[in-house]
Amino acid sequence: MELCFQPGRILLPGEEIRVEQWACLACDQYTSQPDYWQEAAALAAGGPSALDIVLPEVYLDKVDTAARIETIHKNMVRCRETVLTRQVEGYLYLERTLPGGGVRQGLLGLVDLEQYDWRPGAACAVRPTEGTVPSRIAPRLAVRQGACLESPHVMMLADDDGCTLVEPVAAEKARLRPLYSGPLAMNGGSVAGWAVEDEALIARIGAAVQALGSQAVFDAKYPLAAGAPPLTLASGDGNHSLATAKAYWEQLKPTLNAGQRGCHPARFCLAEVCNLHSPAIQFEPIHRVVFGVQGLTLLAEFKAWCAAHGAAADDPDGEQCLTLVYGAWRRQVRVKNAPAALAVGTVEAFLADYLMLHPAAAVDYIHGEEAVAELSGGGNTGILLPDFEKRDLFRGVVLGGVLPRKTFSMGHAQDKRYYLECRAIV
């Protein structure tokens, strides 16, 4: 069977283009803070930038979205011809120094979309960690259709407690070809990358991927699921972007013959793989802001909803804890006999019902308590969620399927992947 994570042709801007000038943050961040993206655009003005070839999701579903997408597609053609003048045939090893000082090691390569499925119950080698919302795929698919390039913010995780995949490549860093190094704009820390083109090292990576996805290793790690189809990689960030790449491939596949289906570039999605057990991988809860409702009103609605579902909100013995924020007002709420296993699941179930009854309200998913505080008040209420333990991630996916949507984030917003490398998908 083919590897679910493979080497490929990775494109990079010319050496004369600085990392700080070219790279920009993942488009699914700061979706309720357009000021961030306006500042990013001002910094990118006057020179080639990855911001020219991506659509920040703060601009999705706006009046001018179609015009923006058309411009992006034209920019991709221009960048492919004049900016992306270097390439790597293999993998790319990178080190991201985060604003907090940690160094996150990653391996960039191709995820085989034939071995990935986001639909509930699908037991593929590559799986999502949280629920995928089909309605969120359509507007992103409009960007990918007609695009000649992709630049990834997808980050995959490997449950590699033996450090067999990424760390051995890091140990060979001194003999790898340096590709880029420099600071990242907008408080993103810094990043450096090296080409992994040696055939022996590529083969070693392949063997590690194959071993991590073997039945024997899977059964030893997850004895309660022994005999089930093994899980090799799970999405950590960019879940809906990966689902969009899959949707595009499924659209294209019927137009191709059998030979083309085996090697067409759209069959794959460029993604970074990290080791779940790395100390630099830190999970942060993703909070909620409910627009159009005051704190006390939302609290009353939540209490009533819990009671209707056999739960008790505001119980001092409650096993689940969350905090409502409205300006300077904060209220911790404990839920006993909660209807979901995790607090995030309880909140998601409540919000789904609440939004059906209050269509004028809206919800956004926010990284960081400070950002929640800034958006709360003035008719909007924040919901702070508790921490999520990363050691439970793969076990939860294997035994219980996907987690509730937007359960966790790998670090703060500025820690997310920056667009830097590219790949042709036509």
Side-chain angles (χ1 to χ4, degrees):
M1 186 175 180
E2 292 188 75
L3 294 174
C4 65
F5 184 60
Q6 303 180 18
R9 177 173 295 170
I10 302 170
L11 306 176
L12 293 164
E15 292 182 354
E16 73 281 1
I17 299 174
R18 296 176 293 109
V19 167
E20 188 174 15
Q21 173 189 330
W22 171 257
C24 76
L25 185 64
C27 67
D28 60 346
Q29 301 304 303
Y30 299 108
T31 52
S32 292
Q33 295 159 277
D35 289 353
Y36 175 92
W37 292 105
Q38 291 166 8
E39 183 178 348
L43 290 174
S49 170
L51 188 56
D52 297 333
I53 59 172
V54 298
L55 179 64
E57 294 188 2
V58 69
Y59 302 124
L60 276 181
D61 300 321
K62 298 293 189 292
V63 173
D64 65 342
T65 296
R68 285 179 180 271
I69 292 174
E70 184 179 355
T71 299
I72 287 168
H73 289 166
K74 291 178 180 177
N75 289 341
M76 286 180 175
V77 173
R78 175 179 54 81
C79 286
R80 180 67 185 94
E81 294 174 350
T82 64
V83 178
L84 300 170
T85 58
R86 294 186 294 161
Q87 66 183 38
V88 172
E89 296 285 353
Y91 296 97
L92 192 150
Y93 169 69
L94 61 102
E95 293 182 352
R96 171 75 179 278
T97 302
L98 302 170
V103 178
R104 186 175 68 210
Q105 299 171 326
L107 199 59
L108 196 70
L110 307 187
V111 171
D112 183 359
L113 297 171
E114 283 291 294
Q115 301 188 56
Y116 158 77
D117 198 331
W118 58 265
R119 292 174 297 181
C124 302
V126 182
R127 304 178 202 173
T129 53
E130 60 183 29
T132 301
V133 182
S135 62
R136 294 187 64 199
I137 295 175
R140 293 156 182 80
L141 188 58
V143 181
R144 197 167 181 92
Q145 291 167 330
C148 67
L149 295 173
E150 67 172 359
S151 189
H153 75 257
V154 176
M155 294 185 66
M156 309 299 299
L157 294 170
D159 185 5
D160 185 17
D161 52 0
C163 299
T164 63
L165 179 58
V166 178
E167 289 80 2
V169 181
E172 301 287 342
K173 182 176 67 174
R175 69 182 187 89
L176 302 179
R177 176 166 64 95
L179 296 170
Y180 56 73
S181 178
L184 294 166
M186 307 285 287
N187 193 34
S190 62
V191 67
W194 294 262
V196 183
E197 299 170 306
D198 177 74
E199 291 185 5
L201 192 52
I202 289 174
R204 185 175 177 180
I205 292 169
V209 172
Q210 189 171 34
L212 286 170
S214 70
Q215 193 70 55
V217 169
F218 178 84
D219 290 352
K221 284 183 179 178
Y222 316 110
L224 293 177
L231 168 63
T232 308
L233 299 174
S235 59
D237 268 336
N239 182 53
H240 284 87
S241 290
L242 190 61
T244 299
K246 173 72 169 181
Y248 178 66
W249 170 238
E250 292 299 331
Q251 277 188 352
L252 184 64
K253 192 162 56 170
T255 69
L256 306 174
N257 61 41
Q260 292 170 327
R261 291 178 186 178
C263 62
H264 194 283
R267 172 176 167 164
F268 305 91
C269 180
L270 194 59
E272 179 183 347
V273 172
C274 299
N275 185 359
L276 174 68
H277 298 275
S278 166
I281 300 292
Q282 298 294 325
F283 282 8
E284 301 283 343
I286 300 179
H287 308 297
R288 275 69 171 156
V289 172
V290 188
F291 297 91
V293 59
Q294 296 183 351
L296 287 173
T297 303
L298 191 66
L299 175 61
E301 294 271 4
F302 182 63
K303 285 183 177 181
W305 181 88
C306 285
H309 289 78
D314 253 3
D315 189 306
D317 297 324
E319 67 275 10
Q320 292 181 1
C321 182
L322 54 99
T323 302
L324 299 185
V325 181
Y326 188 77
W329 176 82
R330 288 196 173 208
R331 177 67 179 274
Q332 189 179 84
V333 182
R334 288 191 170 274
V335 184
K336 190 172 184 178
N337 299 324
L342 298 174
V344 64
T346 299
V347 169
E348 275 297 289
F350 161 67
L351 290 176
D353 290 345
Y354 179 82
L355 292 175
M356 286 184 63
L357 296 173
H358 302 84
V363 175
D364 199 5
Y365 301 87
I366 306 298
H367 302 274
E369 292 191 18
E370 291 184 3
V372 172
E374 290 177 4
L375 293 168
S376 300
N380 309 321
T381 300
I383 304 176
L384 297 178
L385 290 162
D387 291 341
F388 176 76
E389 296 294 333
K390 69 177 184 177
R391 63 175 177 267
D392 294 331
L393 178 64
F394 270 66
R395 186 178 294 107
V397 172
V398 168
L399 299 179
V402 296
L403 302 169
R405 63 182 298 227
K406 298 293 185 180
T407 296
F408 70 93
S409 170
M410 288 170 54
H412 301 291
Q414 66 268 28
D415 299 338
K416 301 300 178 180
R417 200 170 202 288
Y418 273 58
Y419 301 109
L420 206 163
E421 309 86 358
C422 296
R423 190 178 71 92
I425 57 173
V426 295

